[in-house]
Amino acid sequence: MLTPTAVSHSTLHRSNHTLPVPPRTATRCSVCAMRHLCMPQGLTLDDLPRLEAVICSARSVRRGETVYRAGDPFDNLYVARSGSLKTVMAHRDGRQQVTGLRLAGDPLGFDGISTGFHTCSAIALEDSSVCIIPYQALKHLCRETGALQDRMHRLMSEQLIRESSQMMVLGSLSADERVAAFLLDVSERNGQRGYSHAEFNLRMTREDMGSYLGMTLETVSRTLSRFQKRGLIDAQGKLIKIIDLEGLRHV
């Protein structure tokens, strides 16, 4: 049986300063509202307590704090338990590129498996929390639990598919199509989590959206204004209301 002592300690950062590690809270996957997104199907009654022993804690992350930075040693995988986060990679000239939006139930940290070091940073877009999953302990449990190993493979495959889809968005779609595809993606993912697909707070700034979609801040703002004039959406700050879902799909 794996115990909470198997969990390695992580450091959360803000700007360039290391923050005190906040207290952890006990995590029970069986009562988590996001369990349908990250929990494997087919676990036995004996398997669930063992998984909960590995994922034995959740940690709060304040807006602007990082769960891990590019270059940090890879020890843990994470799952967003609440809130939302972005993943960011740095160019050689210091510019930063937003590479992903992670919502509750989404995994984080797969980028570190290959080299043993994280290649991107994960930053909270709002006050959030993450479940901490020590990778070595998880590997040990995967060898003993087929359902968990299958779920790991599915999560990694889903992330590859999402990244490939993003490459297609950047390489072949117009500015209007990129913004529409992004809003539809967030809408669908909110629906999967039991939230409204038609009205949501988009925690990404317009600048982050531009970085993620390969557009300037000005182009993102003009595109959203154009969608609003066409009656496709109503954008009031971070609050997005999708008024004409079919119209947005046909952009």
Side-chain angles (χ1 to χ4, degrees):
M1 174 81 68
L2 295 169
T3 65
T5 57
V7 179
S8 59
H9 292 280
S10 295
T11 303
L12 299 176
H13 308 274
R14 187 167 192 167
S15 301
N16 295 319
H17 304 287
T18 300
L19 292 175
V21 176
R24 296 174 176 176
T25 57
T27 301
R28 290 187 59 82
C29 302
S30 56
V31 296
C32 177
M34 295 297 121
R35 64 186 181 276
H36 65 289
L37 295 172
C38 55
M39 285 283 289
Q41 301 298 313
L43 284 182
T44 68
L45 292 177
D46 291 333
D47 290 333
L48 184 57
R50 299 180 68 195
L51 179 59
E52 289 183 333
V54 172
I55 314 173
C56 68
S57 61
R59 179 170 291 160
S60 60
V61 194
R62 292 191 178 277
R63 178 177 177 270
E65 291 177 2
T66 62
V67 179
Y68 54 83
R69 282 203 188 103
D72 283 352
F74 168 72
D75 295 310
N76 305 310
L77 293 173
Y78 305 86
V79 175
R81 186 174 177 86
S82 64
S84 58
L85 305 96
K86 63 180 178 180
T87 51
V88 176
M89 294 187 73
H91 295 279
R92 291 181 179 178
D93 61 5
R95 288 179 298 132
Q96 291 193 331
Q97 174 78 42
V98 177
T99 59
L101 171 64
R102 302 289 186 257
L103 305 179
D106 286 339
L108 293 147
F110 285 129
D111 60 286
I113 293 177
S114 176
T115 64
F117 294 91
H118 288 288
T119 59
C120 66
S121 302
I123 305 170
L125 292 168
E126 58 184 308
D127 289 353
S128 307
S129 64
V130 294
C131 295
I132 304 166
I133 312 167
Y135 183 59
Q136 293 302 322
L138 181 63
K139 280 204 305 182
H140 179 79
L141 188 56
C142 280
R143 287 195 289 267
E144 300 179 352
T145 308
L148 184 57
Q149 188 173 58
D150 288 345
R151 185 58 182 146
M152 275 286 292
H153 291 160
R154 286 179 178 272
L155 287 172
M156 295 175 78
S157 178
E158 288 169 3
Q159 187 155 320
L160 284 172
I161 291 170
R162 179 170 294 279
E163 290 175 355
S164 297
S165 298
Q166 181 63 12
M167 290 295 293
M168 184 185 70
V169 166
L170 294 176
S172 61
L173 300 186
S174 67
D176 281 11
E177 289 170 331
R178 293 181 195 187
V179 174
F182 174 72
L183 294 177
L184 290 170
D185 177 62
V186 176
S187 168
E188 180 182 355
R189 292 165 70 189
N190 271 279
Q192 291 171 347
R193 287 154 177 78
Y195 306 138
S196 171
H197 68 275
E199 183 174 334
F200 48 85
N201 280 305
L202 185 59
R203 298 300 181 180
M204 269 188 172
T205 65
R206 302 292 191 258
E207 187 174 9
D208 282 341
M209 284 180 60
S211 176
Y212 183 54
L213 298 174
M215 302 161 57
T216 65
L217 167 63
E218 292 76 13
T219 302
V220 170
S221 297
R222 285 197 300 268
T223 303
L224 290 173
S225 296
R226 191 157 53 247
F227 284 0
Q228 186 153 332
K229 289 178 181 177
R230 292 170 58 182
L232 300 176
I233 66 169
D234 180 26
Q236 302 295 332
K238 294 185 180 299
L239 180 63
I240 303 292
K241 295 181 182 179
I242 297 179
I243 298 171
D244 184 355
L245 186 62
E246 284 303 312
L248 201 59
R249 286 172 176 160
H250 286 90
V251 167

